[in-house]
Amino acid sequence: MRADGTAPGSPLPGGPDPGDVLRGCARDVLEIAEGIRAVSERTATTLSAPDLTAATRRHPRTGLAGCWALLRALAARPGLAGTGPRGGITRARDLLGRVRGTDDLAGLVALTALRLRVTAVLADHPELARTPGMRLLTRALTADRDEDAVRALRALLRDRTAQRALSGLAPLISELLSVRALLGGPSEGGGTSEGGAEAVDLTDQRRRIIATEGSLLGFLRNIEALSTDGRILVQNVRGPDGVVRYVVQAPGTAPGRPRADAPQDLVGAWRDLCATDSPYTRSLAHALAVHGIPRGAELALIGHSEGGNAVLNLAQDEDFCRTYRVTHVVAVGSPSGDRKPADPRTWIATVTNRYDLVAAPDGHPGEPTPGEPTSGESTSSAPTPGEPAPPEDPAGATRYRVEYAGPTREFPLCHRLREYIEHLRTLLPVARADLDEALAPYRGPVVRTQAYRLKDHAHPPAGHPFLTLATAPVRTTVGPVDVPVRYYDSAAAHLCFPVDPAAARSLLPDAPWLTPSRLGPRALAVLSVHEHRCTTIGPYTEIALSVLVDDLWRPRPYDAVTDLLRRVDLRRTGRYVLSLAVTTEAARVVAQEVWGQPVLRMRAEADLTGREIRARSEDLGLVVEGRLGPGVRCLDADRALYGRRGTGTVRTLVRAHGRLRLHPGAGVRVRLDTAAAEPLAGQLRRLGIDAARPLFVLACPQFMAHRGGGAELAR
């Protein structure tokens, strides 16, 4: 604590916020980097200009001296693109490296801007330090030298799998895109954006909660009901004047939940954040064409998060606005900026929680300072559809902005649409009334509701071809879950311990057909740690303790060894899961209800992507840490897992695709607190591995997998 009673790192009373100061510095430094890149490009253009070449031929002495000076400005150190000590060979190498898109001065300055930005974000939201994307970014930014950091950052920004994790860092997306441009990164688009849409039916459960009367909160609740599974909603509403108008409702994206080939996929959100003609925007236009909206009809576009960004882009499309009359656009929790619609009569409203890093990563000029009351601001009321454009200052007369400080600043909680709906209902009654009044032409009975699944034909589905497989919904207490569950980006470490067979048998259920497999005189227990960064049930961390068991019907000696030569679906042995701990409610319900595994929910974090592996759970009192030694490549970690449901045994197959390696376990250790929570802690102690080192470790820093539904066996 300081002498004035404030905590270190918090703003001084009456002083500027440290995060705002760092963000301002980052913007200034990034502008300098952009200026350096512009000077570099002009210098390179001048060096290759025909006039300079002609002048050099006429006056070789002075012309060659001028060319050499320009070349030195590009290649020498210090210079626009120079690194390394002086020397002709080094200069040539550095110039070649610049042509190939490697290190340059603009990239090094941009790296400093990004470091400032990361520090500012972590000062405001320290919880982001535990996310996989932030760990990947921090590892790249803290390389041994700035040149190494630039190379690591460039490789990270080109890695589509890493982008999926980085997409969770919403406050840094715009900065990362700017830095990527300065580093010379290629565009992800690769051509004209494609999109498509097909009509789909809503389930009876969702249809019951879809609003049948037009209102702001009704439209937002429709978006929440759609979730983020690649669908949008179009409703025909008969207004008070008897005219049928159309309301488009577009959801955003969910971290760690790819949706087949939908343009709302996280990599697509990363790729298209700053692009007006994006697959999401094109797919929205296709959906409206399929819906059969007549030319010149009046539309209202409403979206949340990336959906809000897409409808704002659609309102900027001149061809679209010539086809339809876009009267209103409402974007909730979306980065609006100062984008102007193609039709100056279009009324644009934005609702932004100042702590929502997606909607306001850098803050707006009119953003309320901490301590000010919640407020909404507008320059005028909304125009009635069909009226002529205002004669003066149409942009100011058709924009309504609501910026407020919500009760929580934890991200991503403050970004959820449910939070915005609750705030509009309770904290912002005036703003809600203003928005409802603006949408008065759309207040009336809904005469048609149709959902559309959006398609992105320009890019293959995530995980193709390994994860391109048929799925079927399975009912659970948290709603239907598509099975097999697909894991698009995961890391794992399996710590294998030889244990006493009698101790292992005592932990298994009281069923004579469940017997531990013996490898010589010992049984094998496996403590598995998974870091699932992107799955169809959301990102989560998993810690599991299992024991290798024999065939349930005809156990044979050393069957576990010979089973390794068989496909996983033909194996008779498997691992019985004694305890499982996960970090999300969705993962807990699926593990218990679909796979029949004993599971509990807890807090945990893991970092398994490097040679140093770490996993920690304060709730379990468990720490796994150490350094992996040299390893050898081995087969993919396909496995059969057993659980129990009632009096039956449940068998689940897991197929994996990744670079699994076998490491000696001498450098890795398990530590258990004395007050560790049951049941996992008690089982570890009874097996004698609560403070032991594993015999070997199977580690995979990145893999894909799919886990099918549990098949119940009559044993």
Side-chain angles (χ1 to χ4, degrees), residues 170 332-337 351-353 356-364 415 420:
V332 177
S334 305
S336 60
V351 181
T352 302
N353 182 347
D356 183 355
L357 300 177
V358 175
D362 289 314
H364 296 293
H415 177 61
Y420 274 104

Side-chain angles (χ1 to χ4, degrees), residues 86-152:
R86 291 181 179 272
I89 297 177
T90 301
R91 293 191 186 101
R93 181 201 66 190
D94 292 339
L95 181 58
L96 179 62
R98 181 185 181 279
V99 172
R100 295 168 58 188
T102 54
D103 312 330
D104 58 21
L105 184 59
L108 296 174
V109 176
L111 183 71
T112 301
L114 185 57
R115 285 171 173 161
L116 288 168
R117 182 74 172 137
V118 169
T119 305
V121 169
L122 291 179
D124 292 339
H125 292 269
E127 70 275 5
L128 289 178
R130 299 188 296 270
T131 63
M134 185 62 79
R135 288 202 301 270
L136 290 172
L137 185 60
T138 303
R139 190 177 294 119
L141 295 178
T142 55
D144 294 336
R145 300 180 304 162
D146 282 352
E147 293 86 350
D148 296 335
V150 169
R151 296 188 188 98

Side-chain angles (χ1 to χ4, degrees), residues 149-237:
V150 169
R151 296 188 188 98
L153 184 61
R154 182 181 292 112
L156 192 66
L157 296 179
R158 289 175 177 171
D159 184 353
R160 288 177 63 86
T161 304
Q163 288 175 19
R164 191 174 292 117
L166 292 175
S167 294
L169 303 178
L172 292 170
I173 293 297
S174 59
E175 193 83 4
L176 288 170
L177 291 171
S178 301
V179 170
R180 183 174 65 176
L182 290 172
L183 295 178
S187 173
E188 293 280 348
T192 304
S193 299
E194 296 185 30
E198 62 178 2
V200 294
D201 294 329
L202 294 171
T203 62
D204 293 339
Q205 179 182 2
R206 281 200 170 99
R207 188 171 291 278
R208 283 195 295 268
I209 59 178
I210 293 296
T212 58
E213 192 81 12
S215 68
L216 172 67
L217 293 185
F219 297 140
L220 294 180
R221 290 192 180 103
N222 290 347
I223 295 176
E224 184 188 11
L226 287 175
S227 184
T228 54
D229 58 357
R231 291 179 299 177
I232 66 159
L233 199 69
V234 181
Q235 288 186 310
N236 302 14
V237 181

Side-chain angles (χ1 to χ4, degrees), residues 590-597 643-650 709-712:
V590 171
Q592 178 176 320
E593 300 181 11
V594 178
W595 301 321
Q597 297 172 353
R644 294 284 287 179
R645 184 185 297 127
T647 59
T649 302
V650 180
E712 189 163 341

Side-chain angles (χ1 to χ4, degrees), residues 604-686:
E605 53 188 66
D607 185 3
L608 309 173
T609 56
R611 298 297 293 270
E612 294 279 350
I613 62 172
R614 297 182 183 86
R616 179 186 300 273
S617 173
E618 295 182 0
D619 293 343
L620 296 176
L622 176 68
V623 177
V624 177
E625 60 184 358
R627 180 174 179 81
L628 298 174
V632 295
R633 180 76 184 275
C634 57
L635 299 176
D636 289 338
D638 293 344
R639 56 197 181 274
L641 300 178
Y642 289 115
R644 294 284 287 179
R645 184 185 297 127
T647 59
T649 302
V650 180
R651 182 173 183 259
T652 306
L653 299 183
V654 182
R655 297 179 183 270
H657 176 66
R659 296 182 175 273
L660 187 69
R661 299 184 69 85
L662 176 67
H663 302 268
V668 181
R669 185 171 181 178
V670 177
R671 290 189 290 106
L672 199 63
D673 292 346
T674 55
E678 297 286 348
L680 180 62
Q683 294 169 343
L684 290 173
R685 293 191 181 98
R686 292 174 67 178

